[in-house]
Amino acid sequence: MNRSIGIFDSGVGGLTVAREIFSILPGENVVYFGDVGRYPYGGRSEEIITKFTVQDIAFLMEHNVKFIVCSCNSASSVALDEIVDNYDIPVIGVIKPGAQTAVKKTTRGRIGVIGTNATVSSNAYARTIHALNPDIKVFSLACPLFVPLAEEGYIDREATHLIARDYLQTMLDVEVDTLILGCTHYPLLKNVIAEVMGPEVTLIDSGEETARTVLKTLTDASLLNPRAAQIPAPEGDHKFFVSDVPERFAQVATRFLGQVVDKITRVDISRY
Ligand code: DGL
């Protein structure tokens, strides 16, 4: 069907997930909402993150979307389970797809999870992994500095390497064999993280895994846009909305999405 897919995040980070969805489902139209006015979510309480998440979803519902992806790991961890049943369209987060893949890929049953403080203290990844296999050992670590580093474009800088080595030593000490990048911003730092963790550790990008889940869910529910069947599929018509000035979003978006984002509209999210 022609209705759009809705994607939301606390800001620009969710574009790493949007990028994967654009690439795997090029014929789909997307409405993206970035809550830049209330970013970041990762250090906030469960109550506030849930309130914001409900408003973000209400905004997307107004656009008559057929499917909603919460690309923010913090919101997916803290808020989603409680509220998904309130909607008559599928609403998915990024935790389950990332956790399922990690469980498939682990070789020695030692999975590391890195994310924001909210994601780590929610224990959502560990819970999901243990529901699939209670014998797996899960080690979680908040790496909040990775978010501003990625956003400021500190991708291959000495400071970033130093911070990554400092943070990730814990993961090396506990000898994880698989590491979940449990935050929208971390795929940008994948090379630095891979360098610190070494070639033996498999990195899981939750965004990539979520895009595959979106494809499967839309296919199974016969919700794919008919244009997706055309070869090559025509480019989708995407719309971007933010809750504060669009300029900074536009600047950073190119790096996160890998393409220029124009036509960004500012909305008052407190109305929802
Ligand atoms: N989008 C958030 C996440 O994936 C990171 C940025 C924030 O803290 O809002 O957890």
Side-chain angles (χ1 to χ4, degrees):
M1 64 160 77
N2 292 327
R3 283 160 64 193
S4 300
I5 298 173
I7 306 178
F8 73 95
D9 178 53
S10 56
V12 75
L15 291 174
T16 57
V17 181
R19 183 179 64 198
E20 302 299 337
I21 293 174
F22 288 179
S23 119
I24 205 166
L25 285 160
E28 293 290 337
N29 304 320
V30 166
V31 177
Y32 182 95
F33 173 67
D35 197 3
V36 293
R38 304 188 295 190
Y39 157 93
Y41 284 9
R44 294 186 187 272
S45 68
E46 189 175 324
E47 192 192 342
I48 293 290
I49 297 176
T50 306
K51 179 181 161 201
F52 290 175
T53 302
V54 169
Q55 289 180 310
D56 301 346
I57 294 176
F59 169 75
L60 290 174
M61 294 294 281
E62 203 179 80
H63 286 262
N64 193 28
V65 294
K66 61 183 173 184
F67 189 97
I68 290 181
V69 182
C70 169
S71 57
C72 179
N73 283 258
S74 305
S76 298
S77 299
V78 168
L80 228 49
D81 283 355
E82 293 292 315
I83 59 173
V84 281
D85 292 338
N86 300 346
Y87 305 98
D88 57 4
I89 57 164
V91 179
I92 68 155
V94 286
I95 309 301
K96 206 165 167 193
Q100 281 171 334
T101 310
V103 168
K104 276 192 213 133
K105 293 268 168 83
T106 183
T107 50
R108 288 182 287 103
R110 301 181 76 78
I111 299 177
V113 180
I114 52 174
T116 64
N117 284 308
T119 298
V120 166
S121 44
S122 76
N123 234 9
Y125 274 107
R127 267 201 319 276
T128 313
I129 291 168
H130 286 146
L132 296 165
N133 182 343
D135 297 329
I136 291 177
K137 297 252 178 308
V138 183
F139 306 90
S140 306
L141 176 74
C143 302
L145 290 172
F146 282 167
V147 168
L149 287 170
E151 204 143 306
E152 294 302 323
Y154 268 56
I155 307 301
D156 197 21
R157 302 279 277 261
E158 188 47 29
T160 309
H161 283 267
L162 277 174
I163 291 167
R165 276 198 290 276
D166 194 65
Y167 271 149
L168 298 173
Q169 186 58 46
T170 324
M171 289 291 161
L172 291 169
D173 290 345
V174 294
E175 299 182 347
V176 297
D177 62 73
T178 302
L179 183 66
I180 299 177
L181 307 180
C183 175
T184 46
H185 290 60
Y186 299 179
L188 270 84
L189 303 176
K190 206 171 189 171
N191 290 345
V192 181
I193 296 170
E195 199 183 298
V196 175
M197 295 309 296
E200 304 294 308
V201 176
T202 307
L203 301 186
I204 308 290
D205 179 340
S206 291
E208 255 172 51
E209 307 309 333
T210 303
R212 280 190 209 115
T213 305
V214 176
L215 170 62
K216 183 168 181 335
T217 317
L218 288 180
T219 311
D220 291 352
S222 304
L223 284 175
L224 280 176
N225 191 315
R227 298 183 335 156
Q230 294 173 30
I231 301 173
E235 281 264 306
D237 176 22
H238 308 314
K239 295 191 173 75
F240 297 87
F241 297 88
V242 291
S243 52
D244 202 342
V245 285
E247 285 75 17
R248 178 167 160 81
F249 181 87
Q251 259 170 24
V252 183
T254 314
R255 192 162 56 248
F256 277 71
L257 190 61
Q259 65 188 66
V260 174
V261 179
D262 47 15
K263 291 189 286 175
I264 307 166
T265 308
R266 182 177 179 175
V267 294
D268 177 6
I269 194 66
S270 66
R271 284 201 301 112
Y272 291 86

